[in-house]
Every structure is written in structure tokens, then in C-alpha cells.
Amino acid sequence: MLSQDFIRLALLAGTPIALASGAIGYFVVLRGQVFAGDTLSHVSFTGALAAAAAGVDLRFGLFAATVVVALLLALLGDRAASDDVAIGTTLAWVLGLGAFFLDLFNRSSRGGNGVIAARTLFGSIFGLSGGQARLAAVIGVALFVIMLAIARPLLCATIDSKVAAAQGLPVTALGAGFLVLVGVDAAEATQVVGALLMLGLIAVPAGAAARLTASPYLALTLSSVFAIASLWLGVVLAYVIPSFPPSSAIIGVAAVIYALSFAAASVTARWPCWPRGARPSTSPGSAG
Amino acid sequence: MSFFAYPFMVHALEAGTIVAVMAAVTGWFVVLRRQTFAGHALSVMSFPGASGAALAGLPLPLGYFAACGIAAAAIAAGSRTDNRRNLAQESAVIGAVQVTGFALGFLFLSLYGGILENLENLLFGSFLGITATQVDVLAGVAVCALAFFAVVGRPLLFSSIDDLVARAGGVPVRALEIAFLLVLGLAVASTAQITGVLLVFALLVAPAAAAQQLTSSIAGGIGLSVAIGLLVTWTGLLLSYYTDYSVGFYVTTLAFAVYLAARLFRRLVRS
């Protein structure tokens, strides 16, 4: 199977993106920003369609749209209390815009058969070109390195933003910068698993990791490991069973891992195998 | 040419009106309870529901309602730790449920074979093919949903505002929460058949969010929310009729504009 070019490209592009998505996803879950991540993934759909309608490179539309909306979300959601509603209404509007661009595109001479829409929505990891895969790998690694670099201050700002601000950390800038990272990751992951499923690489492995351990760095590592495992197993599954779309297979594996984490958490809650004080809490993220 | 001359426009207006009222009332509670994300995830569930029903050869509405019901139960079951709402875990659970739904829907569609033809209508809806039967079904669902809010509105409001005090006062908070999610699933499942999976949400959240920016009164808020929902739907349908772009685009844009205007207005009044 590894002798096939498209499999090698899929793994080359997918592994760094899964690595970065797992790490970024842990903070997304910890900060309670899964909904924001979801919105950014849908935004990438609108961006790609806008670029398609205008006839420019899809990737330009992807990155421009996600970065702009990430900044907009950071601006709108200044207070925690109005967060999810502000995000929700923005999301609805962005999807409506997507429908509009789809209309425009279908009417132009280039459009018609809906392939672009389907590819953007559900991705096509087996259809990547060599250049796309290498770019995806570079961006994935870069995102992961940036994430590790800001992990400590971001963790501080996430767990107690007041204390972090008192210590002189730029809490607002960190939050906005983090959302931009999520946006770039969403734009890149859209090309691999698609706009609608990219949340599966961000939220699902991280949700499982956060259920299993309260230690931040361990959870971050676990989350990346789960994401990469989902990607690899998913690719193998899709290769072995040709009627299984790769995006669905990847998310399917991630969902199974998540379901197992519930089982594992309830087992350790019932029969703790370590002293009471050291027992991992099942609710690490209540600060979000 | 008056659009009332066309039966499909009349059906679209009827369906749009029913959906706008039901979504605005349900949405008011969604916004109050901060369950916007759950609303989005449940609305998305109609996609696997519809494609799964198509694959199995069952009637589509059955698929919509079954998928939304299962997802509502899963979200309700997974979103509590130590018997309390835990917002971070809740959002992870909802995200997982939603994305699993999308993945299943995509799988069913590829197995079914008709990937590209119906995808757009399924996701973005079409007001134009609504039949009289669909309008009747919608009206039935809306009556059920509104009856639910008429009966349990008070305790639901109590538990939405203060979970702990409500529990101490003997309100069955957990049962209410599950029942609310199921009604929400029912409402979005029926709405999605008309507005499409991805746009239900504009009618569910934006009018209610705008109304809550403008007033904190309960009856006033729900009334205002319904009024905004109706206004947005009717204007969107008319604009779409005369300009030939999709209803979804107009409805979402108008709703977002109303929400932004409400936020701006509130800020001006305060200062």
C-alpha cells in the first residue's frame, strides 16, 4: 500500500496536519472554543467558494477567509458571556454567504457540476498533488512549532486570565493570535479532510485526551497521538475498503477513540488504581 | 406579476412563516441557555438522517427525526460530569457528535451513489419545492413544539436561569434538559427540510439573540424574536423571488444585519 503515490502523499500531508491539529485542538477544548473552531472550518468553505467564483487560487480564499474571521471572532467575543451567540450568528451568516458564492459559481462558465463544493466540504486526501502535500506538511510543522512556543503563556492565560494579565501577559493578543492559528490550521485541514469534517481532527482527539488526563502536556501529547492514529488508521481503512470515503474513515476512527475515552474515564472513576490525591479529574476544563 | 399567483410561492410563505415562529420561540430558550452550539449540531444531524434514510429506502422525514433524536440523547448524556454542566467538556461532546454525524452522512451518500446531485439542496435547502403535505406536517410539529413550551415554559425558564436553585426547588432539571434538547431536535429537523441543513441556524439564533440584546423582558423578548424572525423570512423570500439568488443567503444576511444593529443600538443606549 505504501508503494502507491497517493497514499504516500496523503500521509505526508496528513501527518503534520494531524500533529498540529491535535496540539491546537487541546487548547481549543480547554478554552471551550470548539464552536469557534467549528465556525472557522465552515468559513473555509465560504472562502474557497468565493475564490472559485472569482477565479483565483482556492488556497488564497481559504487562508484569507479564515484569518479574517478569526480576528472578527476575537473582536466580537470580547466578553465570555456573549461568546457563543456572537459566534453562532456569525456562523449562520458566513454559511449564507457560502450559499451565495455557490450560486454565483454555478452560474459562471467554470461551475456547474458541484465538484468544488463537494471537495471543499468533504475533502479529498487521496487527490492531493505533490506540491499541495509538501506545502501542507510545511504549514503543519510550522503550526505545531508555534503552538509549542506559545503553549506555556497560553495555558496560563486559559486557566486564569486575571492572574495572567496581572503578571503582564498579553491575554487578549494571545487569545486573538490563538484563534488565527486555529484559522490557518482549519484552512489547511480543509484540503485534507474537508471543511465539515476538520473539526474531527481538532476537537475529537483533544476531547478524548482531556477526558483521560488533567496534566496539560501529557494531554497535549496524547491529543496529537490520537489525531495521527486516527489519520493513519483512517487512511488504511479507506484503502482496504474502497467504498469507504477516507474523510469518513478518519473521523470514524477518531469517534471510536472518543467513545473509548468515556469508557476508560468511567472505569478509572470506579476503580481508581492510584492514590486518591493523584486521581485525574474528569473535568479539567471548567475554566473555559 | 404578483407572486401569490404561484402555488409554490404560497407554500413557501406558509412554510417560512411556521418555521420562523417555531424557530424564534425555540431559539429564545437556546440563546438563554447558551446552547447555540448544541442547536447547530442538532440541525446538522438532518444531513446523516436524510442520507441514511435514502440509503435504507425509508421515508426521509423518519431519518431526519431519528437522527436528531439520537444526537439529542447523546449530547444530553455526554455533557455532564459530576451531574453539572461542564461547558468545556460539553462543547467537545457536541463537536464530536456533530462531526461524527457529518462523517456518517458523507459515508451514506457515497454508498448511495448520488453524491453530487442532491448535496446542495440538502445542505442549503430550497424553498421552492415545498408541497402542501409538507406544510401540514410542519404545522403539526410547530403546534407540538409550542405546546411543549406553553406547558413547561416556566420551570424550563427557572432551570435555565438558575440551575442549582431550581434543583433545590424540586424542578426536575435533568429531565427538562433532555426534553428541551429533544424538542430542539424536532424543531430543527423539520426546519432543515425546508431551509437546508446549514441555514436552520440563522432563524434559530439570530432573531432571538437580537431580541435579547434589546429587551430582558420574557414575553417581550419572545414576541420580538418572533417578529424579527417573520420579518427576516418574508423579506428574504421576496428578495429571492425578485432577484433569483438563494433564500438562504438573504435570510442569513438580513438576520445577521438585525443582530449587529441590535448590538449597536444597545451600546448607543448604554453610553
Side-chain angles (χ1 to χ4, degrees):
Chain A
M1 138 177 185
L2 278 176
S3 61
Q4 304 273 8
D5 250 359
F6 68 92
I7 294 284
R8 280 206 304 255
L9 288 179
L11 292 181
L12 170 69
T15 310
I17 288 182
L19 180 73
S21 298
I24 290 177
Y26 174 65
F27 281 99
V28 170
V29 168
L30 196 64
R31 293 166 70 83
Q33 286 186 320
V34 178
F35 196 23
D38 184 39
T39 302
L40 289 175
S41 70
H42 292 325
V43 164
S44 60
F45 165 69
T46 302
L49 281 178
V56 298
D57 190 343
L58 287 190
R59 275 175 289 182
F60 174 73
L62 280 174
F63 286 110
T66 49
V67 169
V68 167
V69 174
L71 290 174
L72 184 75
L73 285 184
L75 201 75
L76 270 181
D78 42 2
R79 283 173 302 273
S82 61
D83 244 353
D84 76 319
V85 173
I87 295 171
T89 37
T90 312
L91 168 63
W93 180 56
V94 162
L95 286 174
L97 273 185
F100 173 68
F101 287 127
L102 192 61
D103 259 15
L104 269 188
F105 179 64
N106 282 346
R107 261 167 230 199
S108 71
S109 53
R110 290 181 297 275
N113 55 12
V115 171
I116 297 259
R119 276 191 75 159
T120 323
L121 285 171
F122 296 108
S124 52
I125 194 173
F126 286 170
L128 294 172
S129 73
Q132 280 174 330
R134 275 188 289 277
L135 181 68
V138 170
I139 291 182
V141 171
L143 281 174
F144 184 67
V145 171
I146 298 175
M147 196 60 240
L148 284 192
I150 66 166
R152 217 185 137 75
L154 188 63
L155 195 63
C156 197
T158 301
I159 290 168
D160 198 328
S161 61
K162 281 183 193 142
V163 172
Q167 285 193 336
L169 279 176
V171 175
T172 320
L174 268 176
F178 175 67
L179 273 179
V180 171
L181 275 190
V182 178
V184 174
D185 188 45
E188 202 46 57
T190 296
Q191 297 167 52
V192 178
V193 289
L196 296 183
L197 299 179
M198 151 277 173
L199 195 63
L201 279 184
I202 289 204
V204 181
R211 249 176 208 284
L212 291 177
T213 170
S215 144
Y217 289 102
L218 181 60
L220 200 140
T221 316
L222 264 185
S223 168
S224 281
V225 168
F226 288 160
I228 293 175
S230 316
L231 185 98
W232 286 352
L233 285 176
V235 166
V236 170
L237 258 181
Y239 181 76
V240 175
I241 313 169
S243 64
F244 215 144
S247 307
S248 289
I250 294 168
I251 305 309
V253 175
V256 169
I257 293 178
Y258 190 57
L260 288 179
S261 81
F262 269 82
S266 76
V267 167
T268 49
R270 197 163 302 168
W271 296 290
C273 51
W274 34 69
R276 272 216 164 260
R279 206 174 112 190
S281 152
T282 43
S283 52
S286 45
Chain B
M1 175 85 197
S2 162
F3 52 83
F4 284 115
Y6 297 105
F8 75 85
M9 265 324 271
V10 174
H11 288 156
L13 271 178
E14 286 169 356
T17 306
I18 297 169
V19 161
V21 172
M22 177 167 62
V25 175
T26 317
W28 191 82
F29 282 97
V30 170
V31 171
L32 185 71
R33 297 171 61 85
R34 304 174 48 70
Q35 287 189 315
T36 316
F37 192 22
H40 181 240
L42 286 177
S43 59
V44 154
M45 284 309 136
S46 358
F47 172 55
S51 51
L55 180 66
L58 297 168
L60 289 191
L62 188 68
Y64 278 97
F65 292 125
C68 287
I70 294 170
I75 291 174
S79 61
R80 289 204 161 220
T81 41
D82 306 331
N83 222 7
R84 283 196 175 194
R85 264 181 93 180
N86 174 341
L87 287 181
Q89 279 297 347
E90 185 177 310
S91 82
V93 169
I94 296 171
V97 167
Q98 171 184 338
V99 80
T100 311
F102 267 134
L104 279 179
F106 187 46
L107 174 65
F108 294 152
L109 260 191
S110 348
L111 291 179
Y112 183 60
I115 294 189
L116 301 177
E117 281 170 33
N118 292 325
L119 184 62
E120 250 173 68
N121 271 351
L122 206 55
L123 292 176
F124 294 110
S126 127
F127 266 91
L128 301 183
I130 300 167
T131 62
T133 331
Q134 275 181 309
V135 174
D136 292 343
V137 172
L138 259 187
V141 172
V143 168
C144 293
L146 293 181
F148 170 80
F149 288 116
V151 174
V152 303
R154 251 184 101 81
L156 184 65
L157 192 66
F158 190 11
S159 75
S160 307
I161 291 170
D162 198 326
D163 189 281
L164 286 179
V165 176
R167 191 193 306 264
V171 175
V173 173
R174 184 88 172 116
L176 272 179
E177 184 182 313
I178 296 171
F180 175 70
L181 277 173
L182 285 174
V183 170
L184 177 61
L186 192 74
V188 293
S190 50
T191 311
Q193 297 175 42
I194 285 145
T195 58
V197 169
L198 294 179
L199 302 180
V200 182
F201 200 55
L203 287 177
L204 193 69
V205 176
Q212 291 195 6
Q213 292 281 331
L214 295 177
T215 170
S216 53
S217 130
I218 295 162
I222 295 179
L224 192 59
S225 168
V226 170
I228 295 174
L230 285 175
L231 188 73
V232 162
T233 313
W234 288 339
T235 322
L237 275 171
L238 288 190
L239 283 175
S240 165
Y241 177 77
Y242 285 114
T243 62
D244 213 29
Y245 283 106
S246 68
V247 181
F249 165 65
Y250 285 118
V251 168
T252 51
T253 305
L254 288 169
F256 189 61
V258 171
Y259 171 68
L260 283 187
R263 270 187 84 137
L264 198 70
F265 179 75
R266 188 182 177 194
R267 188 160 291 183
L268 286 182
V269 167
R270 265 194 189 162
S271 65

